[in-house]
Amino acid sequence: MKIETSRFGQIDIEDDKIITLPDGMLGFTGTRFILLTPEKPTPFRWLQSVDDPALAFVVVDAQQVLPDYAVSLTSEEYTRLALDEKTEVVILLVVTLAGESGSITVNLQGPVVLNPNRMLAKQIVLEGNRFPTKFPLFGTDTVDKNSGACCSR
């Protein structure tokens, strides 16, 4: 299958690599995405919409950048993602590049949880203020005590 993207032009993807997000990404339309990995080693990947060439999110694998980061899923989320106790999940964090400051942050409050076996994902909204929406990706090597963030590097 060929898809058009505004950043990478036309790319050829395999149908079994399409990730379905039945609820889409918060605030955006579109439910089918592909995870694009650059050729050069980098923690960044693109969650590219299959249906909207201009819609893409820079994401990182939480396990690679914040190994202690974990989320608890509800039983409904387990069901919606077709998970069981043996299923490994991939947690993707949406990256934001702040304008003038140039800081790179990740959204810990709204991770995308992916069941790679079923290519099924859901953006989860974690409740409370334990998980900041703008957690510095670089330059902070401890927990943000002001936000009460759960993670360390």
Side-chain angles (χ1 to χ4, degrees):
M1 167 183 208
K2 292 188 185 308
I3 66 168
E4 292 292 331
T5 72
S6 62
R7 291 165 187 80
F8 309 105
Q10 187 179 66
I11 56 175
D12 198 11
I13 60 171
E14 298 172 29
D15 288 347
D16 64 348
K17 301 294 184 196
I18 295 174
I19 300 167
T20 301
L21 281 89
D23 301 324
M25 294 289 286
L26 295 173
F28 297 92
T29 59
T31 58
R32 299 184 315 150
F33 290 83
I34 183 88
L35 198 55
L36 302 174
T37 303
E39 291 179 17
K40 294 180 181 178
T42 173
F44 303 105
R45 301 168 84 179
W46 287 90
L47 188 61
Q48 170 69 53
S49 172
V50 171
D51 305 308
D52 182 350
L55 182 60
F57 301 90
V58 178
V59 296
V60 293
D61 183 333
Q63 185 64 39
Q64 291 180 351
V65 297
L66 296 168
D68 295 335
Y69 179 76
V71 298
S72 295
L73 301 175
T74 65
S75 59
E76 179 184 338
E77 291 163 341
Y78 259 86
T79 301
R80 288 190 63 108
L81 290 167
L83 296 172
D84 61 36
E85 302 84 31
K86 297 178 183 176
T87 307
E88 290 188 32
V89 297
V90 175
I91 300 174
L92 301 172
L93 303 173
V94 178
V95 175
T96 301
L97 176 62
E100 294 179 16
S101 70
S103 65
I104 299 174
T105 62
V106 291
N107 182 349
L108 299 182
Q109 193 170 33
V112 176
V113 180
L114 167 66
N115 176 346
N117 296 334
R118 303 284 300 270
M119 299 305 281
L120 192 57
K122 178 172 180 50
Q123 186 174 24
I124 306 295
V125 177
L126 302 172
E127 295 185 17
N129 60 1
R130 184 174 173 212
F131 299 98
T133 57
K134 295 181 180 177
F135 186 82
L137 185 57
F138 302 112
T140 302
D141 59 0
T142 59
V143 173
D144 182 346
K145 293 180 175 56
N146 293 329
S147 69
C150 65
C151 307
S152 61
R153 295 185 184 108

